[in-house]
Amino acid sequence: MNPRFKAVIFDLDGVLTDTARFHYVAWKKMASGLGISIDETFNETLKGIDRMMSLERILQHGNVQLPLEDKQRLAHEKNEHYKELTAAMTRKDLLPGALDRLDELKGLGVKISLASASKNAPAILEALGISGYFDSIANPALVAHGKPAPDIFLLAAAPLQVRPEECLGVEDAEAGVTAIKSAGMQALGVGDPQVLAAADRVVPGLDVFTFADLFADWP
Ligand code: BG6
Ligand code: MG
């Protein structure tokens, strides 16, 4: 069989593992130290957004202005807290269906790539024991523009020698879906269909479908 897509490019946080929750906990604590309160709805606007830009959004939300030095310190502290929260992660922290879908793609001969905004992504993949599945991992430090710009998805696809239209991007964030569509790829949203309305398809999790079925039914 010739699969509908030659490559599937995954986001990490909130798609393969529930680290989106840990990012939220760490940002919430940092924000509350500044007297800024953030909730789950506001947190949706942080998903997929890189570290410094997320901090800027939180400061703007709380109408707080700080010198660069303080911002760098706060971003560092948030990251240290995030690393503590994720330190004990193992393969059991993969979201339901994640390992099955990675195995399935290997069986189908479809390339697997990672397009995460997180500089912690390589360490998290190691902790989860899934680094070996990836044919490429885009380095977010190398992209000029973070999500919702297409850069990281295009960078993830580059070493695979596939055209954007041959790639399926998988995302839990609105900014991520916009990035996938801007890259000229097809988008599979994982999560809330209202938040991910711009995706070509939305599923509630990786455990409720097979790629074989999904590809067979994809226009
Ligand atoms: C994204 C997350 O994957 O990575 C964001 O959705 C996070 O919440 C961003 O801020 C950057 O992560 P890190 O680990 O480099 O601070
Ligand atoms: Mg995500």
Side-chain angles (χ1 to χ4, degrees):
M1 187 185 92
N2 215 352
R4 165 70 178 78
F5 293 101
K6 289 192 176 157
V8 173
I9 306 179
F10 288 94
D11 172 48
L12 173 65
D13 299 318
V15 170
L16 294 172
T17 182
D18 196 13
T19 37
R21 184 166 52 92
F22 297 131
H23 280 294
Y24 176 50
V25 168
W27 282 130
K28 199 171 170 63
K29 180 170 177 230
M30 188 223 71
S32 100
L34 296 168
I36 303 171
S37 139
I38 64 173
D39 61 12
E40 302 250 4
T41 307
F42 177 77
N43 187 54
E44 279 303 320
T45 70
L46 300 181
K47 287 186 180 173
I49 306 299
D50 73 31
R51 199 180 305 165
M52 279 313 273
M53 195 62 84
S54 298
L55 174 62
E56 295 289 357
R57 285 193 186 187
I58 292 167
L59 294 177
Q60 199 179 26
H61 181 66
N63 214 0
V64 171
Q65 277 159 25
L66 292 174
L68 180 61
E69 211 177 81
D70 288 2
K71 291 195 261 196
Q72 283 169 338
R73 179 181 47 81
L74 287 167
H76 176 75
E77 285 170 10
K78 180 269 174 178
N79 195 50
E80 291 302 304
H81 185 198
Y82 177 75
K83 287 198 286 188
E84 277 166 36
L85 293 170
T86 54
M89 287 181 78
T90 65
R91 193 166 267 211
K92 70 174 174 13
D93 293 296
L94 282 164
L95 280 167
L99 202 56
D100 290 339
R101 297 290 75 73
L102 291 171
D103 279 326
E104 191 198 355
L105 290 173
K106 282 284 168 226
L108 291 170
V110 174
K111 300 271 188 224
I112 302 174
S113 184
L114 193 80
S116 170
S118 174
K119 299 196 168 75
N120 292 294
I124 301 282
L125 291 186
E126 276 300 308
L128 294 170
I130 55 169
S131 303
Y133 282 91
F134 290 82
D135 297 289
S136 79
I137 296 172
N139 180 353
L142 299 181
V143 300
H145 305 288
K147 299 172 189 178
D151 305 28
I152 193 125
F153 280 93
L154 294 172
L155 184 65
L160 307 179
Q161 292 170 319
V162 290
R163 289 177 288 127
E165 56 270 30
E166 296 169 325
C167 298
L168 177 68
V170 188
E171 264 287 353
D172 70 316
E174 189 182 3
V177 169
T178 306
I180 295 169
K181 296 311 295 176
S182 306
M185 299 175 181
Q186 294 288 295
L188 176 65
V190 182
D192 183 342
Q194 280 187 323
V195 174
L196 306 170
D200 298 284
R201 295 273 175 84
V202 180
V203 290
L206 297 177
D207 55 341
V208 297
F209 70 96
T210 65
F211 279 116
D213 288 345
L214 195 79
F215 290 0
D217 193 30
W218 204 287

